[in-house]
Amino acid sequence: MELHRKDKIALVVASLAALTIYFTARRRRKQRSVRSSCYLRDDQKPQYAFKRVLADNSYSAFKHLKLDMNTDNDVNSHPYESEILSLLENSSSEFDFISSERNDFTLSDTYVWVETASQLEELVDVLNKEMVFAVDTEQHSLRSFLGFTALVQISTDKEDYLVDTIALHDSMSLLRPVFANSHICKVFHGADNDILWLQRDFHIYVVNLFDTAKACEVLSKPQKSLAYLLETYCGVATNKMLQREDWRLRPLSEDMVRYARTDAHYLLHIANCLLSELKQVNAENSSTDGKFNFLLEASRRSNMICLQLYTKETEGSPGESAASSICYRHLNSQLNSFKTQFQDHVRRLCAWRDLMARVHDESLRYVLSDQAIIALATQMSKNTRELYATIAQADLNVDLSPSLLLPGPSPVVCSHLDDLHCLLRDKSGDLDNIFLGILQNCIGSNGSCPLSIFNYALLVKYNLKMMTISKKNDRRNAKKMSKKASRELFVQKFSCKSPVYHNCRIYANDGRLLCYCDRRKLEWYLRRELAELVDDDPPAIKILFEPKGRPEDEGNDFYIQSKKNICVGCGEGNHYLRYRIIPSCYRIHFPEHLKSHRSHDIVLLCVDCHEVAHAAAEKHKRNLAAEFGIPLFVRRVVDTKEAFDLVESSDSATNFQEEGVSPLELRTAAMALLRHGPRMPPKRQEELMHVVMRYYGRREISEEDLEKALLVGMSPHERRRLQKKKGIALKHSGQHIFPDAEHQNGACSIDSSTVTNSSIDADADVNNHMNSDNGTVPETCLPCGEVKVSDNGSAITAQPKFNSKLSLLGHGPHGKQVVDHLLAEYGEDGIRQFCQRWRQVFVAAIQPRFLPAGWDVNHSGRRDFGEFSVYNSIKKLSPTIE
């Protein structure tokens, strides 16, 4: 019995030991997985909502705004240099930018918070009517590598505006023309940094500046800080510690709002006071020295600031300058043997800190403080626990605002503690490969850190010189990594985010399977009580009416096969995109009963197969264009009214044939003239004006004509996008500028083919399109290219009918003419053969191995419509998903 009891005890102990080992190992695995995941996956910073940034965290140089894309200006040239130099050379000794002295300049309780694009547009309208306004900015730099503008304060004589540049980051270019207007004075205080920050974040360049700090210099004031000026001229005290607050916070605290408003609100009054003093000093010194003008000197120094250009700081290798500074400060009294080891560790830590700051878009001091680097380089940590404790102890001495002080190591260090420990333990001198590996582990394939617009260029535009890669193999690997990163970002952005095929089933009322479909189509039937749910996983319904035929009766099993969410070419299942075997530019013009059931010709392809299929499709389009004599793009458009005036005033139609311009060329010319016309070289401006005049029959054109020319050939969707487009504001933006689809398409004639006889029957279209009552062009876009004579003897033009929703800027007109030609010559059989040719092109290019069962090159594509089909011409319900 005693032995039996001992065996039981031993068994219990062994079981407890096994359970302890299991749970310990499980806990360690969980800890490792937590460490390997980046904190940014749960900590979405405000700047990650930006759709575009002008200055990313790569080592590439900053690119400044180019006003004329057709010139070869240096990327480092100032876009408004000529305007600023003109102000410097022709400065006026009289400044009348302050309309009148403000007797009551106290800070009121009201202000305008600007956080939407429409509010920003209203602000632009207000500022365009001002002669002067004051500006200040608030930056955030702790949680960003380069920093970003978190708030812009603008004050006029009547109102204070706080512009939320985080919410409006992608719309701030609306302010660019106002800030560049040389007739409006902008008042800043200490504008040196503000000028550069506005360039860095928004491509906003200031022209015509009055800097109150420069005025203080000229007047030899004892101090030139804004706090001094506020107290001296306004009797206002301000807490400059609020400048270090986190300006990303929304909503801002009352103290932060008051501080932000104060900086800009009183600037106009301060500028007015300084202006009076400058004039007074000029008057007092006019008899002694008439050569020096204090007012002009203040203006000159202010506008010299405007010529500054933002540049990224560059160094020989990442973290080199920081490492040199730390070593210089802490190695004066150390032994040589210690110096060598210390320098190596500092160099590694500074390079790692620089790379991590760029990847995570954090400041250097947020990632790892200088004190922590010194502590880590001084004493070697045996494990990650000691490493953590060393950093935590060192960070207690970091001088930060209480609101920004972080306990212990930063989240960056915590997420990559193992990498940091391995870096310090590594004895090899090849840091290049080490950092390449760290970068790959962070944002490469299956990297632990999310890709963003800030760190993406680190891989795509990886600077080999900055990372000191000298070997050819390393260069090849870096280029491969760059290409791979580009592909990965494309996959993340454009691949399907959820399964395409849900493989839901639809049964007939007799229980026979009709088809597989997605959940949305099932819900359509259920909402209308046309079916009942018969299964939940996967969902299945039975329709409550008699369908119009069944797939198996039609000899086509494609619709009753389940489909896999994989690439039909190579079988890739991790990512895929929808691919239309028959391009939309053709299928959209098919007869309804031939294009409605289109799922047969929409397949899934991975990115690589999609690229191959697309290249083959573009090549086949070019072959079709040559075969049918129908160009891929519209070659000429001409204003219908002007064209008819030209023809009627001519002895022949020859002049009409010579008019017109490519719609893409017309749109580019009109856009350039509207945006940059006054600043263009006269010769270039004349060339572009000539392009637009060819569309309008060579008559003189106005700004309204330019705005109308932007819309020529656009689809309704493209016109809506233009209305929202940043960087250009249309003054004549009424209905006559953004008309409905029919009116717009009636505004021009097109010539989409050089061989008109092979494309359509022009005679028939003349009779269909001309209005016999007044000889004018109806609300349909008519082509120019073949001249006919009407009953009253006037010359007219004939051309194919044009879908009002079709864009002339792509392949749409080409596709319509090809389909019309096929229907006219061969009927629906011609369309079916046309589809078969496209399927053959697809099969030849991809060699697909995973097509769904029942997929066939000779698929007919025709299915009759049942009673409840939305494509039934007799009885149409609401739209469905096919």
Side-chain angles (χ1 to χ4, degrees):
M1 290 292 292
E2 187 69 23
L3 182 62
H4 185 63
R5 188 180 299 109
K6 289 182 179 179
D7 289 342
K8 280 188 174 182
I9 293 173
L11 182 61
V12 171
V13 171
S15 300
L16 290 174
L19 288 172
T20 302
I21 293 171
Y22 170 76
F23 285 111
T24 301
R26 184 178 179 182
R27 185 166 59 253
R28 287 178 178 174
R29 285 196 300 271
K30 185 177 180 180
Q31 289 174 349
R32 283 198 296 271
S33 66
V34 170
R35 284 198 299 269
S36 64
S37 63
C38 182
Y39 71 99
L40 287 178
R41 305 228 177 242
D42 300 319
D43 180 17
Q44 289 295 317
K45 297 191 287 186
Q47 61 263 40
Y48 277 23
F50 300 165
K51 294 180 180 178
R52 179 172 179 260
V53 291
L54 301 171
D56 56 40
N57 297 341
S58 69
Y59 299 96
S60 57
F62 180 78
K63 293 183 179 179
H64 282 276
L65 177 69
K66 291 185 70 175
L67 295 177
D68 188 354
M69 301 303 295
N70 297 308
T71 61
D72 297 327
N73 292 340
D74 183 7
V75 293
N76 291 321
S77 63
H78 198 297
Y80 297 96
E81 182 177 4
S82 59
E83 288 88 343
I84 297 172
L85 292 177
S86 177
L87 285 173
L88 291 171
E89 294 171 1
N90 306 301
S91 297
S92 172
S93 59
E94 295 295 329
F95 283 83
D96 296 325
F97 57 75
I98 305 296
S99 58
S100 62
E101 290 202 19
R102 301 165 70 184
N103 296 322
D104 183 15
F105 52 82
T106 55
L107 196 66
S108 66
D109 295 331
T110 61
Y111 66 94
V112 179
W113 179 262
V114 181
E115 62 180 349
T116 66
S118 60
Q119 290 175 318
L120 188 61
E121 290 172 354
E122 292 175 4
L123 175 58
V124 170
D125 292 338
V126 170
L127 297 180
N128 275 321
K129 299 172 184 176
E130 298 289 332
M131 295 181 64
V132 60
F133 57 86
V135 186
D136 191 30
T137 68
E138 301 300 337
Q139 298 291 306
H140 180 80
S141 58
L142 180 65
R143 299 299 306 277
S144 172
F145 182 72
L146 295 175
F148 62 89
T149 305
L151 189 73
V152 169
Q153 305 98 280
I154 297 176
S155 290
T156 66
D157 267 339
K158 303 177 183 64
E159 194 67 80
D160 297 331
Y161 300 87
L162 299 184
V163 182
D164 185 354
T165 53
I166 295 178
L168 291 170
H169 181 275
D170 301 310
S171 302
M172 286 296 291
S173 57
L174 290 171
L175 286 172
R176 189 181 301 149
V178 180
F179 277 75
N181 189 335
S182 60
H183 300 293
I184 302 175
C185 183
K186 279 67 67 174
V187 179
F188 284 75
H189 179 84
D192 301 75
N193 288 328
D194 298 296
I195 293 291
L196 301 180
W197 292 333
L198 290 172
Q199 294 176 12
R200 175 197 65 195
D201 294 336
F202 315 119
H203 270 170
I204 289 178
Y205 297 81
V206 178
V207 180
N208 192 355
L209 168 68
F210 185 82
D211 191 332
T212 51
K214 296 302 178 184
C216 289
E217 288 181 1
V218 175
L219 291 169
S220 300
K221 292 285 184 181
Q223 297 182 43
K224 61 176 185 178
S225 68
L226 182 57
Y228 165 77
L229 295 176
L230 285 169
E231 188 170 353
T232 301
Y233 295 103
C234 308
V236 174
T238 182
N239 181 12
K240 276 299 176 183
M241 291 300 295
L242 288 169
Q243 190 176 28
R244 303 178 67 181
E245 290 298 309
D246 188 352
W247 289 96
R248 302 174 303 161
L249 297 177
R250 297 293 184 271
L252 299 175
S253 67
E254 290 184 8
D255 289 340
M256 294 172 74
V257 169
R258 175 171 288 273
Y259 171 84
R261 290 183 60 199
T262 299
D263 276 5
H265 176 84
Y266 294 100
L267 266 183
L268 291 181
H269 175 72
I270 292 172
N272 206 21
C273 294
L274 293 173
L275 186 62
S276 298
E277 292 184 25
L278 288 168
K279 291 180 178 179
Q280 182 180 351
V281 174
N282 265 348
E284 293 173 355
N285 292 272
S286 60
S287 59
T288 57
D289 186 4
K291 294 182 179 179
F292 187 82
N293 189 306
F294 287 83
L295 198 56
L296 292 181
E297 180 62 17
S299 173
R300 187 190 68 81
R301 293 187 188 184
S302 297
N303 282 300
M304 284 295 292
I305 301 174
C306 297
L307 288 173
Q308 292 183 117
L309 284 173
Y310 172 77
T311 58
K312 288 185 182 180
E313 294 183 6
T314 58
E315 48 192 353
S317 60
E320 180 182 29
S321 60
S324 300
S325 175
I326 292 173
C327 291
Y328 177 78
R329 284 182 282 138
H330 295 275
L331 283 181
N332 291 333
S333 61
Q334 303 297 333
L335 298 175
N336 289 334
S337 59
F338 175 81
K339 285 184 179 181
T340 303
Q341 182 182 8
F342 181 85
Q343 286 175 332
D344 179 65
H345 287 164
V346 168
R347 186 165 61 92
R348 288 169 178 252
L349 289 167
C350 286
W352 179 86
R353 179 177 69 170
D354 181 89
L355 189 62
M356 291 297 101
R358 294 174 187 271
V359 168
H360 298 85
D361 193 36
E362 305 283 9
S363 64
L364 296 178
R365 62 193 175 99
Y366 179 83
V367 175
L368 194 64
S369 65
D370 286 354
Q371 290 88 338
I373 289 178
I374 294 168
L376 291 173
T378 304
Q379 56 188 40
M380 283 297 296
S381 303
K382 296 179 181 179
N383 50 50
T384 55
R385 184 177 299 175
E386 288 187 9
L387 192 71
Y388 185 99
T390 300
I391 298 173
Q393 183 62 37
D395 282 347
L396 292 176
N397 301 321
V398 177
D399 181 22
L400 282 179
S401 170
S403 63
L404 299 178
L405 188 61
L406 294 171
S410 68
V412 181
V413 172
C414 295
S415 296
H416 303 280
L417 203 57
D418 290 335
D419 287 340
L420 183 58
H421 184 252
C422 292
L423 177 68
L424 292 174
R425 303 292 297 179
D426 187 272
K427 301 299 182 182
S428 68
D430 189 7
L431 291 181
D432 300 331
N433 287 332
I434 294 175
F435 286 114
L436 279 172
I438 291 176
L439 186 64
Q440 182 67 26
N441 291 337
C442 287
I443 52 178
S445 178
N446 300 320
S448 61
C449 305
L451 274 172
S452 71
I453 54 176
F454 296 97
N455 63 28
Y456 169 61
L458 279 173
L459 288 177
V460 176
K461 301 175 182 178
Y462 196 66
N463 193 315
L464 304 182
K465 180 180 179 181
M466 297 298 298
M467 299 302 289
T468 63
I469 299 175
S470 57
K471 298 179 181 180
K472 291 184 178 180
N473 288 337
D474 291 337
R475 288 194 178 96
R476 283 196 294 267
N477 291 337
K479 289 178 180 178
K480 288 179 181 178
M481 189 168 66
S482 172
K483 185 176 181 180
K484 188 175 182 180
S486 179
R487 178 182 179 277
E488 288 171 356
L489 192 67
F490 181 89
V491 169
Q492 289 183 16
K493 189 172 184 179
F494 295 107
S495 62
C496 298
K497 304 301 186 292
S498 59
V500 174
Y501 300 125
H502 298 160
N503 288 319
C504 302
R505 293 156 293 163
I506 297 180
Y507 291 98
N509 49 9
D510 60 2
R512 296 170 65 184
L513 180 63
L514 288 178
C515 68
Y516 282 85
C517 65
D518 61 14
R519 293 178 185 271
R520 294 172 65 189
K521 187 167 185 176
L522 252 63
E523 292 169 358
W524 186 89
Y525 282 103
L526 292 173
R527 282 197 306 269
R528 288 158 178 77
E529 298 181 352
L530 299 175
E532 62 181 8
L533 189 67
V534 296
D535 200 351
D536 292 326
D537 190 22
I541 60 172
K542 182 174 72 173
I543 59 176
L544 303 178
F545 57 90
E546 180 62 28
K548 185 75 171 180
R550 291 169 170 77
E552 63 266 28
D553 296 337
E554 300 170 1
N556 192 339
D557 295 335
F558 175 79
Y559 296 100
I560 57 174
Q561 302 293 330
S562 62
K563 301 172 181 64
K564 296 181 179 179
N565 289 288
I566 60 174
C567 170
V568 300
C570 63
E572 169 66 55
N574 293 324
H575 71 271
Y576 40 79
L577 301 84
R578 292 180 179 87
Y579 178 78
R580 289 167 173 77
I581 296 175
I582 302 168
S584 298
C585 65
Y586 302 108
R587 180 178 280 279
I588 193 176
H589 305 295
F590 286 2
E592 205 70 59
H593 56 276
L594 292 181
K595 71 178 179 181
S596 58
H597 301 284
R598 61 184 182 275
S599 60
H600 179 274
D601 293 317
I602 298 180
V603 296
L604 301 183
L605 291 179
C606 66
V607 169
D608 299 319
C609 292
H610 195 286
E611 184 178 359
V612 174
H614 178 72
E618 291 301 303
K619 181 179 179 181
H620 189 56
K621 280 184 185 178
R622 293 192 293 270
N623 293 338
L624 290 173
E627 176 182 344
F628 294 109
I630 302 174
L632 283 175
F633 296 96
V634 172
R635 294 184 175 179
R636 287 194 305 132
V637 291
V638 66
D639 183 73
T640 304
K641 181 180 181 302
E642 303 297 337
F644 273 84
D645 290 345
L646 178 67
V647 171
E648 291 177 354
S649 63
S650 305
D651 295 334
S652 67
T654 305
N655 292 336
F656 179 43
Q657 293 281 38
E658 296 174 356
E659 296 307 308
V661 64
S662 159
L664 285 174
E665 186 181 3
L666 173 65
R667 183 174 183 272
T668 302
M671 180 70 77
L673 288 168
L674 282 171
R675 282 182 169 174
H676 317 300
R679 296 184 295 272
M680 283 183 179
K683 183 177 180 182
R684 179 58 181 164
Q685 187 178 14
E686 184 180 354
E687 291 175 355
L688 296 179
M689 289 290 284
H690 180 70
V691 170
V692 181
M693 288 169 65
R694 278 161 47 199
Y695 170 73
Y696 285 110
R698 302 187 183 275
R699 67 167 172 82
E700 292 298 321
I701 57 176
S702 63
E703 184 175 354
E704 184 176 354
D705 291 327
L706 290 177
E707 293 178 359
K708 287 181 178 179
L710 282 180
L711 309 178
V712 172
M714 284 189 178
S715 66
H717 174 67
E718 289 170 334
R719 289 197 297 278
R720 286 192 295 270
R721 287 182 60 188
L722 179 64
Q723 285 180 289
K724 298 178 181 179
K725 191 173 180 63
K726 307 173 184 65
I728 180 169
L730 300 182
K731 297 179 181 178
H732 310 281
S733 56
Q735 288 186 342
H736 60 292
I737 295 299
F738 289 100
D740 56 53
E742 292 184 7
H743 184 273
Q744 165 60 22
N745 290 331
C748 70
S749 294
I750 61 171
D751 174 15
S752 57
S753 174
T754 54
V755 188
T756 57
N757 291 334
S758 65
S759 58
I760 60 165
D761 183 357
D763 293 329
D765 283 327
V766 172
N767 296 327
N768 291 334
H769 291 302
M770 292 306 299
N771 185 322
S772 59
D773 293 334
N774 53 20
T776 59
V777 182
E779 293 179 345
T780 307
C781 188
L782 302 183
C784 59
E786 182 171 336
V787 181
K788 296 286 183 181
V789 179
S790 64
D791 294 337
N792 61 8
S794 300
I796 59 175
T797 45
Q799 75 187 120
K801 295 179 182 179
F802 176 58
N803 186 342
S804 63
K805 296 183 179 180
L806 196 62
S807 170
L808 296 181
L809 305 178
H811 295 162
H814 158 84
K816 182 180 187 330
Q817 291 189 58
V818 168
V819 172
D820 288 348
H821 171 73
L822 291 172
L823 288 172
E825 293 291 328
Y826 311 106
E828 292 184 4
D829 287 339
I831 298 297
R832 294 190 184 93
Q833 292 175 11
F834 183 72
C835 293
Q836 292 171 12
R837 289 177 62 181
W838 274 107
R839 296 181 191 122
Q840 290 167 353
V841 169
F842 171 74
V843 171
I846 298 298
Q847 298 293 318
R849 294 177 290 137
F850 299 93
L851 281 168
W855 192 93
D856 188 5
V857 169
N858 298 319
H859 178 72
S860 66
R862 182 187 179 102
R863 295 173 67 188
D864 295 330
F865 300 128
E867 178 184 0
F868 294 99
S869 173
V870 295
Y871 298 105
N872 191 319
S873 58
I874 300 175
K875 183 176 182 179
K876 288 194 175 185
L877 301 176
S878 57
T880 186
I881 307 297
E882 182 64 13

